[in-house]
Amino acid sequence: LTMARQRMQFVVRQSIFDLGIAKNVVNYVVCLFVIDDYPVEKKREFFHQVSTIMTPGGSVFFAAYSPHDERMGRCKTTINEQTHMRFTIYLESSPWYEALFHACGFLVEQTEILRTHGLYDGEDSALLVQREFVLMVAKKP
């Protein structure tokens, strides 16, 4: 946030469901690995709210965990037990997010799937997992 404030006139840190921002005033929204914590209804609510605050020509930079991400999917329970973490996550596919962007009036300019590996050291063993992320850029026409 400090670096963003050095580069931009207006930076907000707010609840994603109560942005409290006037309509058509925001040029850029960055949403990185936040929306995965919420079910479908909340995701729709967030993207609809973003569409109302964005200026025409404004861009959304978005990243989420893919349903194929082993850390947040198949291996989540094992890793959570090893790291003593407890959380719920809701994973959606890139076509699902693209459809949501379109339903909220955005044009999806770019979608990429980023794949890498992660190593999680447990108490008794290490676990190598396939990581997969959905990266998107969308524009409000």
Side-chain angles (χ1 to χ4, degrees):
L1 287 174
T2 300
M3 292 182 73
R5 287 185 174 117
Q6 292 172 358
R7 294 183 173 117
M8 294 179 250
Q9 292 178 351
F10 183 68
V11 176
V12 175
R13 180 180 175 197
Q14 200 74 358
S15 164
I16 66 170
F17 303 109
D18 185 21
L19 294 173
I21 299 172
K23 292 182 178 183
N24 301 317
V25 297
V26 174
N27 295 321
Y28 303 101
V29 169
V30 178
C31 181
L32 306 175
F33 305 102
V34 173
I35 205 70
D36 304 295
D37 295 335
Y38 302 97
V40 167
E41 310 80 48
K42 287 293 200 179
K43 290 175 182 171
R44 287 187 179 115
E45 180 183 331
F46 168 71
F47 281 100
H48 176 71
Q49 187 174 170
V50 167
S51 72
T52 63
I53 66 170
M54 298 286 301
T55 58
S59 295
V60 177
F61 303 92
F62 175 78
Y65 298 105
S66 162
H68 303 291
D69 184 81
E70 291 182 332
R71 166 62 181 102
M72 295 300 175
R74 181 179 66 81
C75 298
K76 183 181 84 158
T77 301
T78 302
I79 293 171
N80 285 356
E81 287 172 0
Q82 291 177 358
T83 60
H84 307 290
M85 296 176 70
R86 301 285 181 261
F87 58 89
T88 302
I89 193 157
Y90 304 89
L91 304 177
E92 316 300 344
S93 67
S94 57
W96 189 90
Y97 281 115
E98 287 178 1
L100 180 57
F101 270 114
H102 289 295
C104 292
F106 288 95
L107 299 175
V108 175
E109 293 188 324
Q110 186 172 359
T111 299
E112 290 195 28
I113 302 297
L114 176 64
R115 292 179 182 93
T116 188
H117 290 90
L119 183 63
Y120 290 88
D121 289 321
E123 295 172 3
D124 298 325
S125 62
L127 181 63
L128 181 66
V129 294
Q130 175 70 35
R131 302 304 315 261
E132 187 170 298
F133 312 105
V134 176
L135 308 172
M136 301 177 85
V137 178
K139 187 169 284 240
K140 183 177 178 181

